[in-house]
Amino acid sequence: MVKTESVGEVNAGRDLRRGVALLRQAGSGFGGRGGASGTGRGLRGAVLALVCCALALVIGGAARAEDLSGGYFGLGDARGMRIEVEQGDPAGDPAGLFIDSNGAEARFGGAWVGGGIEAVLAFPDSQVFLRLDAAPSGLVAIALPLDEDGQPIERASREMTFLRDGLAPPAQPELYQPEPDRADRVVDPDVFLASYSFWSPEGVSRGFSAIGARYRTMMRLYPMVHADVLWKLCGADGRLASEQRGEALRGQGVECAELLGLVEDLQRSGRFGEWKAAAEAEGADFLAAVQCARGYIVKREVCGPAAQKTAAAAVSLRTVATAIQPFR
């Protein structure tokens, strides 16, 4: 297990330059030496100065601390992760263990701040600022990676949900999230894959735009998934949907009228379940490829086969037209 520094109590408005300097001084001190409280105070000051806006909604309403002792398992994009809070009584110093989705462990000792726990996780090759707040039936965790100089990487921050041990997870897919209400939101591609079937056509259009060009292009390698997404896009209204359809249909050998008519026929004949089963089977392969590409999974037994399937798809020249041929 990897030992970490403690994070002391300080004001969120502590001078940022001093905090960044202390972050740099912390460098090699993580993972092997005891908690230097001065470094911890500077670290928290620097991190909070940069992420106060992101944390405001979580921290702001916490009038008192709750006992967070216990074990928690991750939901959604935190699946496979685990948090064990061993000393979660607000009367004492919090401590615990964080286990990521690849089994890497980091023990933490932190501080109670604004009703939640703040600490720094020191993994063998990275450091992560962590905040834990009580949520219905579990925890909300905000993780903010630190770069080699100990400075926060804001664009890589993540908010994750953990459920207390012994409780049943929700019936929706683990990665499910409500559809985006604006086109300018960022949507993780794995969240999109798990959720789009539950979204309105307009929500799918906004989500398809928000996953980024890289993953829209990657989706073309999985044409049954692409066909299922296109079917939703073809039913969406608005200029954004029109633009997304133009991009998604290019080179696929089909048009919206054909897709909409085919799915209507399948629904009427009772075969639409076969369509969805084919899309979901291909979607499982696509999801593994996406999560390996994003570094969320690094296990060879998962990413090796995913890479092979993606490479095979890249040379297969399959399109939506060929993928839906069995349903015509």
Side-chain angles (χ1 to χ4, degrees):
M1 295 186 188
V2 181
K3 198 172 183 181
T4 66
E5 300 275 13
S6 295
V7 180
E9 290 273 7
V10 295
N11 294 325
R14 187 175 298 278
D15 184 80
L16 179 58
R17 286 174 295 180
R18 179 173 178 270
V20 170
L22 287 170
L23 279 169
R24 289 173 176 154
Q25 292 170 15
S28 60
F30 287 97
R33 293 185 279 229
S37 60
T39 299
R41 286 192 293 269
L43 173 61
R44 181 182 173 273
V47 171
L48 285 185
L50 288 175
V51 299
C52 60
C53 292
L55 299 183
L57 291 177
V58 177
I59 298 174
R64 65 178 183 83
E66 298 185 33
D67 188 342
L68 301 182
S69 299
Y72 304 83
F73 61 93
L75 301 177
D77 61 357
R79 77 187 191 285
M81 300 182 188
R82 180 170 179 78
I83 297 174
E84 296 176 3
V85 183
E86 300 164 356
Q87 299 174 31
D89 184 344
D93 292 331
L97 177 70
F98 185 97
I99 305 173
D100 75 8
S101 58
N102 296 303
E105 299 182 355
R107 182 164 291 280
F108 62 84
W112 289 101
V113 181
I117 295 173
E118 292 185 1
V120 173
L121 305 176
F123 293 101
D125 57 355
S126 64
Q127 300 169 22
V128 179
F129 172 84
L130 179 72
R131 178 172 175 95
L132 304 176
D133 282 277
S137 303
L139 294 174
V140 171
I142 293 181
L144 181 66
L146 307 176
D147 64 18
E148 293 180 355
D149 295 323
Q151 298 188 63
I153 307 173
E154 284 189 274
R155 67 181 182 279
S157 64
R158 297 172 63 187
E159 180 175 325
M160 301 171 288
T161 302
F162 289 78
L163 195 64
R164 187 178 286 276
D165 285 351
L167 298 179
Q172 293 158 324
E174 287 186 346
L175 284 169
Y176 173 83
Q177 289 186 13
E179 65 181 59
D181 56 1
R182 299 202 314 266
D184 59 353
R185 293 193 182 279
V186 175
V187 176
D188 289 343
D190 39 2
V191 167
F192 177 84
L193 287 172
S195 307
Y196 78 86
S197 291
F198 301 90
W199 294 350
S200 69
E202 288 72 28
V204 171
S205 174
R206 291 189 291 269
F208 187 70
S209 174
I211 64 174
R214 176 186 180 186
Y215 295 103
R216 292 197 298 270
T217 299
M218 193 174 178
M219 188 181 295
R220 291 171 173 266
L221 302 179
Y222 298 85
M224 197 60 223
V225 178
H226 198 182
D228 198 40
V229 171
L230 259 174
W231 164 61
K232 299 288 285 275
L233 285 176
C234 286
D237 295 324
R239 186 179 67 179
L240 177 64
S242 178
E243 294 172 354
Q244 296 301 334
R245 283 194 294 270
E247 174 187 329
L249 287 166
R250 192 174 302 119
Q252 296 305 304
V254 293
E255 298 295 336
C256 274
E258 181 182 359
L259 269 179
L260 292 172
L262 175 60
V263 171
E264 184 178 349
D265 289 343
L266 291 173
Q267 291 172 330
R268 191 164 37 240
S269 65
R271 295 186 60 207
F272 185 60
E274 298 175 28
W275 169 288
K276 292 301 293 184
E280 289 170 6
E282 203 171 81
D285 292 337
F286 187 18
L287 179 60
V290 165
Q291 294 188 316
C292 289
R294 302 183 76 204
Y296 285 0
I297 299 177
V298 296
K299 296 178 180 177
R300 290 184 179 180
E301 62 269 27
V302 176
C303 294
Q308 292 174 356
K309 290 178 180 179
T310 300
V315 299
S316 71
L317 302 181
R318 290 179 71 225
T319 64
V320 168
T322 55
I324 66 175
Q325 187 60 39
F327 300 99
R328 294 180 188 274

